[in-house]
């Protein structure tokens, strides 16, 4: 374990410090105008300004430090101007901690049949009502300024995994030009703007993108364009190649990659920030993450099971609800099922990150990683049990 460097780009407002290391894994502190974030950190996804199925009080109970909100969705509904009028995301939602907003690029580029790309930006139709809209780097910065998040993202082009090398190369070059325009258009000193590295699974394109983005002097960097259909091996080959190219004294964000195993593998490669819809989406679909693997609450074996989802978990759900009750609620399509299971899954993710941070401070991250990857042993001993029950 050794002390790292500190980057302070806005004294008294923002700072990022690497405080401890265990191998390549790092534990740090990201200070923002709305509070501190201990890293590595997982950011629950609140697409429309709220994490689905949870109240603010429940979200705070999980220990969430920073939330992610979606520029594209909030631009369309209720509109970024209205959010600004009501005090930005913090005033509008009441969440007191930091927010991060994405640029809107990923969502727009996922609307393949409804959008048209040119050098200036993207024209697209709303998935809500078919109305016409235009997103450019300048407009993305305007929207994110109105939303008022602490951490904001440069506008980028995210090609699908099926794109040809030529298509990926063109998108990567455009991302570099749009990063410069985003940097020039961004005005708020109370926001940190992150640049995004693209390039698909092509390591030479990733290297060129990283060099271009780093040269623009962003206070933080993200690795984007992953978890879009590539193999897991390709994901980690890209992260292995790109992470060392990013400045040591600035936060690194791996966008949209987030199974529990991914968190371990990302931290091992020096990543500081993560987001993913898995814990919340899977909860609504009846899948729980536990220390003994994934648990499908719909499974008939849980019909009369009095045990909590995870006996080692201290969350509200595990303190108060049995597997049998959760299964009943889920099959009956009761809203409470989504709330209780989302509360558990997010608690599991955030507890995992707390444990990871502590292991880095103690210099034993790789021991923890090996321990968490070891197949679970059923109660009472015996052969390793299944990862899904």
């Amino acid at each position: 374990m050794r002390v790292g460097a500190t980057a302070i780009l806005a004294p008294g407002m923002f700072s990022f410090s690497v405080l401890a290391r265990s191998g390549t894994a790092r534990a740090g502190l990201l200070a923002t105008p709305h509070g501190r974030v201990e890293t590595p950190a997982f950011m629950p996804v609140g697409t429309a300004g709220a994490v689905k199925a949870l109240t603010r009080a429940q979200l705070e109970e999980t220990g969430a430090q920073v939330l992610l909100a979606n520029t594209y969705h909030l631009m369309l509904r209720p509109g970024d101007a209205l959010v600004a009028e009501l005090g930005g995301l913090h005033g509008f939602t009441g969440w007191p901690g930091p927010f991060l907003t994405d640029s809107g690029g990923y969502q727009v580029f996922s609307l393949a049949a409804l959008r048209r790309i040119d050098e200036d930006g993207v024209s697209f139709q709303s998935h809500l009502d078919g109305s016409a809209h235009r997103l450019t780097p300048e407009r993305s910065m305007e929207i994110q300024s109105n939303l008022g998040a602490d951490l904001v993202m440069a506008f980028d082009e995210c090609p699908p995994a099926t794109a040809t090398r030529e298509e990926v190369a063109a998108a990567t070059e455009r991302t570099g030009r749009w990063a410069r325009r985003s940097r020039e258009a961004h005005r708020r000193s109370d926001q940190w703007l992150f640049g995004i590295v693209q390039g698909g699974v092509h390591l030479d394109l990733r290297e060129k993108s990283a060099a271009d983005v780093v040269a623009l002097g962003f206070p933080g960097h993200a690795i984007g364009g992953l978890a879009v259909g590539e193999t897991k091996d390709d994901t980690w080959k890209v992260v292995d190649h790109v992470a060392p190219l990013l400045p040591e004294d600035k936060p690194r964000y791996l966008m949209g990659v987030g199974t529990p195993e991914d968190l371990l593998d990302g931290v091992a490669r020096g990543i500081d920030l993560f987001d993913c819809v898995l814990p919340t989406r899977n909860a609504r679909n009846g899948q729980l993450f536990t220390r003994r693997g994934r648990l499908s609450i719909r499974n008939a074996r849980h019909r009369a099971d009095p045990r909590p989802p995870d006996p080692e978990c201290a969350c509200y759900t595990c303190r108060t609800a049995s597997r049998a009750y959760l299964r009943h609620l889920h099959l009956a399509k009761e809203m409470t099922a989504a709330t209780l299971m989302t509360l558990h899954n997010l608690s599991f993710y955030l507890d995992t990150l707390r444990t990871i941070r502590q292991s880095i401070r103690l210099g034993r991250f790789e021991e923890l990683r090996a321990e968490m990857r070891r197949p679970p042993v059923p109660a009472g001993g015996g052969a390793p049990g299944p990862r899904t029950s």
Side-chain angles (χ1 to χ4, degrees):
M1 182 173 68
R2 62 185 189 275
V3 176
T6 302
I8 302 178
L9 301 191
M13 188 177 294
F14 282 102
S15 68
F16 176 68
S17 305
V18 177
L19 302 176
R21 299 178 190 270
S22 181
T24 313
R26 46 200 236 163
L29 188 65
L30 172 61
T32 79
H34 290 91
R36 296 180 172 188
V37 178
E38 294 184 7
T39 63
F42 179 81
M43 300 180 285
V45 177
T47 298
V51 174
K52 286 183 174 63
L54 294 189
T55 66
R56 170 184 154 186
Q58 290 166 329
L59 195 54
E60 290 175 341
E61 183 181 334
T62 68
Q65 302 181 86
V66 50
L67 302 186
L68 183 149
N70 187 275
T71 292
Y72 166 83
H73 288 280
L74 290 167
M75 171 192 73
L76 295 178
R77 184 174 57 191
D80 53 291
L82 175 63
V83 175
E85 182 183 332
L86 295 174
L89 281 169
H90 295 93
F92 186 56
T93 68
W95 175 253
F99 264 107
L100 178 147
T101 47
D102 60 12
S103 70
Y106 177 81
Q107 286 70 30
V108 168
F109 291 109
S110 69
L111 301 171
L114 301 174
R115 50 94 172 140
R116 180 178 56 81
I117 308 169
D118 55 51
E119 180 59 30
D120 183 59
V122 188
S123 297
F124 64 97
Q125 292 177 269
S126 165
H127 72 286
L128 297 174
D129 59 12
S131 57
H133 297 270
R134 179 79 172 160
L135 258 184
T136 65
E138 292 77 17
R139 175 61 179 138
S140 176
M141 293 302 98
E142 178 185 22
I143 295 167
Q144 293 186 80
S145 177
N146 283 339
L147 296 177
D150 303 82
L151 308 172
V152 300
M153 308 303 295
F155 193 55
D156 64 320
E157 181 176 351
C158 179
T162 55
T164 66
R165 179 186 166 86
E166 291 70 25
E167 290 169 334
V168 174
T172 303
E173 291 290 338
R174 188 176 290 118
T175 289
R177 294 189 292 271
W178 285 357
R180 180 177 296 278
R181 287 169 56 189
S182 297
R183 192 85 165 106
E184 292 170 351
H186 185 249
R187 295 285 181 268
R188 289 187 63 158
S189 62
D190 60 346
Q191 293 180 323
W192 256 9
L193 174 64
F194 280 42
I196 302 177
V197 176
Q198 289 288 353
V201 297
H202 308 285
L203 300 186
D204 58 328
L205 298 181
R206 286 283 180 175
E207 190 166 333
K208 174 66 162 55
S209 178
D212 291 345
V213 169
V214 169
L216 292 172
F218 291 101
H221 303 93
I223 303 174
L226 295 175
V228 294
E230 79 282 356
T231 67
K232 194 68 76 176
D233 282 347
D234 280 338
T235 298
W236 296 121
K237 283 178 185 175
V238 168
V239 178
D240 281 335
H241 195 75
V242 173
L245 303 176
L246 303 178
E248 277 279 324
D249 60 347
K250 296 181 181 181
R252 302 163 177 168
Y253 168 26
L254 182 57
M255 305 178 76
V257 177
T259 66
E261 296 80 12
D262 289 337
L263 301 182
L264 283 169
D265 291 341
V267 169
R269 291 163 169 86
I271 300 300
D272 306 300
L273 297 169
F274 301 85
D275 81 280
C276 191
V277 298
L278 272 183
T280 48
R281 179 181 291 169
N282 287 23
R284 298 193 301 276
N285 291 322
Q287 186 180 78
L288 296 166
F289 293 94
T290 79
R291 288 154 182 82
R292 304 183 70 77
R294 301 185 189 190
L295 184 152
S296 176
I297 205 67
R298 299 176 65 91
N299 197 307
R301 76 178 69 182
H302 303 307
R303 185 182 67 83
D305 193 335
R307 293 176 297 169
D310 186 344
E312 299 174 58
C313 178
C315 78
Y316 174 82
T317 301
C318 290
R319 295 197 313 269
T320 63
S322 68
R323 297 181 186 187
Y325 182 51
L326 291 174
R327 182 176 186 272
H328 158 68
L329 293 176
H330 181 69
L331 295 180
K333 299 186 180 348
E334 286 286 347
M335 289 187 291
T336 307
T339 295
L340 289 171
M341 290 193 285
T342 299
L343 188 58
H344 167 75
N345 275 359
L346 279 183
S347 295
F348 174 83
Y349 265 60
L350 296 167
D351 283 347
T352 297
L353 265 298
R354 274 190 288 271
T355 301
I356 287 173
R357 289 193 296 269
Q358 181 65 10
S359 77
I360 295 171
R361 296 184 191 112
L362 295 174
R364 59 174 302 270
F365 169 72
E366 285 300 335
E367 296 172 47
L368 174 72
R369 187 184 182 198
E371 179 184 323
M372 293 182 71
R373 282 191 165 280
R374 192 174 300 130
V377 177
R387 296 301 289 178
T388 302
S389 57

